[in-house]
Amino acid sequence: MLSCIFAFAGEEPKANPTFSVVTLNVDGLPGKLAFIPVNADGPMSAGSERISEYLASQNCDILCLQEDFNYRWEIWSRLFANYQHDEWTGGITYEDRKIDFAHLQNLKFECDGLNMVWRNDIQSDSYERVPWQKSFGKFSHDFDDIITKGFRRHELTLSDGHKLVVYNMHMDASSDRDEQKGNDGKDREARISQWKQLRDHILKHLDDRPIIVVGDMNSFYHRDDVKTEFIDAITATGSATVSDAWIEKCNQGVYPDLGAEPLEGETLDKALYINPTDGNSVELVNVTLDRTHYLYEGLPLSDHYPLITTFRYISRDAKDATRISTLAGGTDAPDAETYDLSGRPVDANHKGIAVTKQGKYLKK
């Protein structure tokens, strides 16, 4: 019976590397805008520096931030030594722009509040910024349409050479008051439109790289049909699978039905991961909503808690190794000298990758 150890001849198998991702809404809205209170209870300058201290202390590999508006440099202050960052699109301010008060319905700030930060040993290969096609609420419903919300897509190469795609986003919000009055229908329509836009963009660019999708989605599974329109829709293509980190680790993989009772502990911030069917993949190691350390004098540093995930990268070669080990190690394995990656016996003229009975990795 063939016992296969899948490795390069003369080398020990290398452990699958891990990497960490944190998503956090840093609540960077200004305290006032044109003398109008906007976010008076936000962290503002001093609190944003404390958020920076917290992020630096976590030593995460990739940081995905939302509402990184007016206190950008405070947020960056403790990170610049060990991290790189993408484009900052500015804060929300009226001082540096002429506002047409006669046509306020056209007012829109170009900033999106999104920023991604990655350790110096990670390489950014490509970056794309995409605004939402649909949003709602100019001077009501949490003012979503007054800024250019959307998502950012990053192609990254990790320090070990593995390649990854990361999406960071901020979706339309709903106020508690509108939800309680049943006046949040337009907000929910906008969010589902955004989930569909995100889904279509992911499928259009899907290749052999695993994908991490994080951000402030402003979505609960019992309120927005994310399961049907995003998760199930992508899985139904047969080209990839989708999982929610918190659902997997904290709710036994069970999603609530639309209209059901809220899940205890579910937050508006989410971390999903997508594995292409025939490509490389990631495996969830753990997920933490850090309510313990994200504090100052006993109070949260901002109105969201950081969601921290750790993943293990599994290359396609490693998945093939597991498959060949399973196929070739069974009692019904054929008595042949060399096998391809599907466990079929091959002859000496075979071109490509093969495994011998002695567990040696061959390539012709």
Side-chain angles (χ1 to χ4, degrees):
M1 179 170 57
L2 175 64
S3 177
C4 175
I5 302 173
F6 192 83
F8 290 97
E11 294 184 9
E12 291 295 323
K14 295 181 179 179
N16 294 320
T18 61
F19 62 94
S20 54
V21 182
V22 58
T23 180
L24 176 63
N25 183 322
V26 297
D27 198 12
L29 293 166
K32 293 181 179 180
L33 181 62
F35 305 104
I36 301 173
V38 175
N39 193 34
D41 58 350
M44 292 182 273
S45 182
S48 296
E49 290 197 29
R50 296 187 189 106
I51 292 173
S52 184
E53 291 175 1
Y54 167 86
L55 291 171
S57 73
Q58 297 305 298
N59 293 315
C60 288
D61 295 295
I62 301 167
L63 318 177
C64 295
L65 310 179
Q66 305 88 41
E67 289 194 17
D68 190 6
F69 291 118
N70 288 46
Y71 306 101
R72 172 71 189 120
W73 304 115
E74 287 89 339
I75 291 292
W76 182 239
S77 61
R78 307 299 193 272
L79 299 172
F80 69 89
N82 297 314
Y83 292 89
Q84 302 294 319
H85 66 85
D86 67 1
E87 174 192 14
W88 178 60
T89 54
I92 300 175
T93 177
Y94 71 94
E95 287 90 348
D96 58 353
R97 63 177 292 168
K98 183 178 180 180
I99 295 179
D100 183 359
F101 288 97
H103 301 91
L104 283 177
Q105 71 275 12
N106 298 324
L107 177 63
K108 192 153 190 167
F109 294 92
E110 294 302 315
C111 50
D112 61 4
L114 299 173
N115 222 307
M116 187 181 295
V117 181
W118 55 91
R119 296 191 65 84
N120 287 335
D121 57 1
I122 295 175
Q123 177 181 328
S124 174
D125 302 318
S126 177
Y127 151 72
E128 181 181 9
R129 178 190 176 195
V130 181
W132 297 125
Q133 296 167 351
K134 182 176 182 178
S135 59
F136 176 73
K138 182 72 73 173
F139 299 108
S140 62
H141 292 260
D142 281 12
F143 308 98
D144 288 302
D145 197 40
I146 206 170
I147 61 173
T148 310
K149 281 187 173 182
F151 63 82
R152 297 191 184 192
R153 179 183 185 271
H154 287 262
E155 299 180 356
L156 302 176
T157 300
L158 301 177
S159 59
D160 50 39
H162 288 105
K163 294 186 178 295
L164 182 73
V165 176
V166 181
Y167 283 79
N168 178 29
M169 72 208 58
H170 193 185
M171 291 182 169
D172 269 38
S174 296
S175 69
D176 293 337
R177 179 182 58 191
D178 287 328
E179 289 178 23
Q180 291 167 1
K181 291 183 176 181
N183 191 32
D184 63 335
K186 294 290 186 181
D187 300 312
R188 287 186 282 109
E189 286 178 14
R191 277 194 301 275
I192 284 298
S193 172
Q194 292 162 8
W195 278 106
K196 291 179 179 179
Q197 181 184 346
L198 175 65
R199 174 198 69 200
D200 294 344
H201 192 278
I202 289 172
L203 288 173
K204 180 179 179 181
H205 295 86
L206 186 68
D207 52 25
D208 67 344
R209 293 170 294 183
I211 302 168
I212 308 297
V213 179
V214 297
D216 179 1
M217 279 74 161
N218 278 307
S219 299
F220 291 121
Y221 286 110
H222 73 277
R223 183 178 67 184
D224 299 323
D225 200 5
V226 179
K227 180 72 163 51
T228 298
E229 300 294 347
F230 185 81
I231 296 173
D232 292 346
I234 292 177
T235 302
T237 67
S239 57
T241 60
V242 188
S243 300
D244 179 300
W246 186 87
I247 290 287
E248 179 179 332
K249 288 293 186 182
C250 303
N251 207 52
Q252 295 75 52
V254 178
Y255 293 83
D257 294 330
L258 189 66
E261 291 299 312
L263 282 180
E264 182 179 357
E266 183 188 0
T267 69
L268 300 170
D269 310 281
K270 303 197 181 300
L272 300 98
Y273 60 100
I274 300 173
N275 287 325
T277 304
D278 297 320
N280 302 310
S281 62
V282 293
E283 176 183 76
L284 179 65
V285 177
N286 58 56
V287 58
T288 303
L289 184 68
D290 191 359
R291 298 177 181 269
T292 302
H293 304 102
Y294 193 67
L295 303 171
Y296 177 73
E297 296 183 346
L299 297 175
L301 290 172
S302 65
D303 58 352
H304 289 248
Y305 287 100
L307 185 66
I308 305 172
T309 48
T310 301
F311 296 96
R312 180 176 292 109
Y313 200 105
I314 303 175
S315 67
R316 182 164 42 197
D317 286 346
K319 289 195 292 185
D320 287 336
T322 301
R323 184 168 71 233
I324 188 67
S325 179
T326 301
L327 290 171
T331 57
D332 296 329
D335 186 17
E337 294 295 327
T338 312
Y339 300 85
D340 67 13
L341 293 180
S342 297
R344 296 185 295 263
V346 296
D347 59 28
N349 296 319
H350 172 75
K351 299 296 184 182
I353 299 172
V355 181
T356 70
K357 277 187 175 182
Q358 291 74 34
K360 292 184 177 180
Y361 179 96
L362 304 176
K363 185 174 182 181
K364 293 183 179 180

